[in-house]
Amino acid sequence: MSQHDKSNPLAALSSLFDGELAADESKFLLRRVSADRNLADTWSRWSLAAVAMRRQTSLPMAADFAQRVANAVAAEPPLKRSATAASRPLLRWAGGLAVAASTALLALLVMTPDQIGAGQGDLAQHPGSVAQVAPSDLRESDLRPQFAPADSVAASALSTVLQFGAERDGLSPELQDYMIRHNAMLREAGIGGFVPYVDVIAHPKAEAQTASLQQDAPQ
Amino acid sequence: MADNEVDQALVLRVQQGDKAAFDLLVRKYQYKIGGLISRYIADWSECQDVAQETFIRAYRALANFRGDSQFYTWLYKIAVNTAKNHLVAQKRRPPSEDIDAADAVQYQSGDRLRNTDTPEHELLRQEIEKTVTDTVDKLPDELRTAISLREVDGLSYEEIAEAMDCPIGTVRSRIFRAREAIDVQLRPLLDDKRERS
């Protein structure tokens, strides 16, 4: 509300009439209108003028018409919004969620892994549809935090760090390498060399590799 | 905020127990509802009673109003049903054809039904319309444009500001000043009517 509106409630009423008054100011003004007959009558006249400007069908009403309705409404019990009406938005939301979940489930059941792979193939055939990444001079190694050389750290940590089986399905040598460095850094920081979110499994071949690395490690 | 959004905000307040908000809806729509009912019922006093009954029924039903349709469309249906029920209760035949909600609000002198037995009210209606249109015509250009874009074309303040190439605060002020100018001319007319009745 502008300064002009604050000093003149009619100016604020004009904004409210057009739905251009902020919610909290509307609340305050509505309370004031209910106690100020002059403001309420002005609202009536503005409504009549609007109808006349639009040349809409109208009927001149009794001067006390609104007051008579207000008296009748005052005698009515307070409104109790029906449970259905009140919960409708929630029901709509829940219904929409159920439909979305069903569709997703159906899609998962219908699509086989081959189809999913085929989809990726299609993507590869249309490189134009893939988001373009701006070229950069940075290398992957530039983005790594600068710590002690991985080999030496790895070697010193190997006595306490459980080894990951690089040959295990799904574990790439790169991941293996990363896990070793990660555990070593954690150990240096005094946190301990254990990664809670990764299955750590001692593998016979990995144990042999560990022994070999320990021998090669600089003392 | 569009006209319907203003109504929706007021309806929500009524549903939360604010009866003053309902009073503003009554004051806003009494003339249009009266005009609609007058197309079913000729007598002015009967129109007043049926209009009152319409608003009371609307208040009672407002708890279940979900906002799926515009408030005025919903109110219009209640008014038509109340007018028809009134005619049936009086053992009079309601018109066989319904008046469309969109047509109901648009004034066409030839379409007005049996209003000939209340000439003084028809005269007053015409006088009000003439006073308002004459006053608008005499307004300075910037006030006339602002109020016309708002009331006739239904533009928001932001849209009017863009159309008139001025700040929203200026639009707000121009519309208010136009309303004040119209009100100065309209008030004595309605006060005279009050004194006569």
Side-chain angles (χ1 to χ4, degrees):
Chain A
M1 197 190 303
S2 67
Q3 284 299 320
H4 178 63
D5 288 350
K6 279 178 183 166
S7 62
N8 187 350
L10 283 174
L13 190 71
S14 176
S15 298
L16 178 70
F17 190 82
D18 295 329
E20 299 274 358
L21 197 62
D24 53 336
E25 290 155 14
S26 301
K27 196 174 172 182
F28 171 77
L29 189 61
L30 278 172
R31 216 177 297 143
R32 185 165 177 178
V33 170
S34 63
D36 189 334
R37 180 71 186 270
N38 182 42
L39 286 176
D41 284 346
T42 303
W43 177 281
S44 294
R45 287 193 302 274
W46 287 352
S47 301
L48 180 59
V51 168
M53 282 180 73
R54 294 170 196 160
R55 295 177 181 273
Q56 291 174 330
T57 308
S58 66
L59 185 73
M61 303 300 278
D64 63 344
F65 177 82
Q67 192 56 50
R68 278 194 279 138
V69 175
N71 291 342
V73 164
E76 293 284 323
L79 281 188
K80 280 185 184 167
R81 204 170 179 193
S82 72
T84 318
S87 62
R88 182 161 276 256
L90 188 65
L91 287 173
R92 278 183 190 161
W93 181 84
L97 191 68
V99 170
S102 307
T103 311
L105 185 63
L106 191 66
L108 276 174
L109 291 172
V110 169
M111 286 182 75
T112 63
D114 287 347
Q115 284 173 309
I116 296 168
Q120 287 169 342
D122 289 345
L123 196 63
Q125 285 168 12
H126 301 285
S129 64
V130 178
Q132 296 293 312
V133 178
S136 170
D137 292 331
L138 286 173
R139 289 168 302 175
E140 185 268 341
S141 58
D142 296 330
L143 300 172
R144 286 184 194 163
Q146 298 303 307
F147 286 100
D151 286 346
S152 60
V153 174
S156 64
L158 278 174
S159 57
T160 51
V161 173
L162 291 172
Q163 225 1 297
F164 291 84
E167 294 87 356
R168 275 191 73 211
D169 287 345
L171 276 181
S172 66
E174 288 82 6
L175 178 60
Q176 169 83 354
D177 188 37
Y178 166 75
M179 293 310 301
I180 290 169
R181 285 199 311 276
H182 181 77
N183 278 288
M185 283 188 289
L186 286 176
R187 188 167 183 272
E188 280 193 341
I191 300 171
F194 209 79
V195 189
Y197 49 85
V198 176
D199 286 336
V200 180
I201 297 171
H203 193 277
K205 286 186 180 178
E207 283 169 5
Q209 194 181 17
T210 304
S212 153
L213 280 168
Q214 276 176 328
Q215 284 173 0
D216 296 343
Q219 297 303 311
Chain B
M1 197 188 282
D3 214 28
N4 186 46
E5 289 173 64
V6 180
D7 293 349
Q8 204 61 44
L10 289 172
V11 164
L12 193 64
R13 294 193 61 81
V14 180
Q15 286 173 334
Q16 289 166 347
D18 186 350
K19 290 181 177 177
F22 188 72
D23 183 48
L24 291 186
L25 287 168
V26 172
R27 288 173 181 273
K28 180 176 179 181
Y29 287 117
Q30 58 180 329
Y31 308 105
K32 279 165 78 170
I33 289 298
L36 172 65
I37 292 168
S38 74
R39 299 178 75 168
Y40 289 87
I41 298 163
D43 183 73
W44 183 82
S45 298
E46 269 186 84
C47 282
Q48 302 292 304
D49 293 343
V50 173
Q52 184 175 338
E53 181 63 23
T54 296
F55 281 111
I56 293 167
R57 281 188 186 193
Y59 178 78
R60 288 174 186 156
L62 209 53
N64 298 319
F65 177 68
R66 296 187 299 265
D68 293 338
S69 61
Q70 290 197 359
F71 174 74
Y72 178 72
T73 310
W74 179 80
L75 185 64
Y76 152 87
K77 287 176 188 166
I78 295 175
V80 168
N81 287 334
T82 310
K84 283 182 174 179
N85 290 344
H86 176 81
L87 290 175
V88 169
Q90 302 283 316
K91 300 194 189 315
R92 282 143 57 183
R93 204 158 55 106
S96 55
E97 286 181 12
D98 269 346
I99 300 161
D100 184 63
D103 293 343
V105 296
Q106 207 54 50
Y107 169 67
Q108 288 175 348
S109 56
D111 287 347
R112 287 187 74 79
L113 301 183
R114 308 166 297 273
N115 213 14
T116 48
D117 59 341
T118 55
E120 71 272 24
H121 292 111
E122 178 57 19
L123 199 65
L124 178 61
R125 193 197 61 75
Q126 288 176 9
E127 205 175 344
I128 289 167
E129 196 170 295
K130 187 175 185 310
T131 303
V132 171
T133 50
D134 286 354
T135 310
V136 170
D137 284 346
K138 287 175 193 162
L139 287 173
D141 275 352
E142 69 273 13
L143 300 195
R144 187 174 63 245
T145 306
I147 193 74
S148 299
L149 288 174
R150 173 62 214 157
E151 293 292 16
V152 182
D153 300 306
L155 266 59
S156 69
Y157 284 7
E158 194 179 350
E159 290 166 330
I160 297 170
E162 206 176 313
M164 297 184 74
D165 196 22
C166 65
I168 288 181
T170 306
V171 171
R172 196 182 294 273
S173 166
R174 285 176 180 172
I175 289 174
F176 170 57
R177 278 157 57 205
R179 284 204 174 109
E180 274 194 319
I182 296 166
D183 203 44
V184 165
Q185 302 299 320
L186 197 55
R187 203 181 309 154
L189 203 63
L190 298 175
D191 287 345
D192 282 354
K193 178 197 139 198
R194 194 170 294 175
E195 281 168 17
R196 281 203 300 269
S197 62

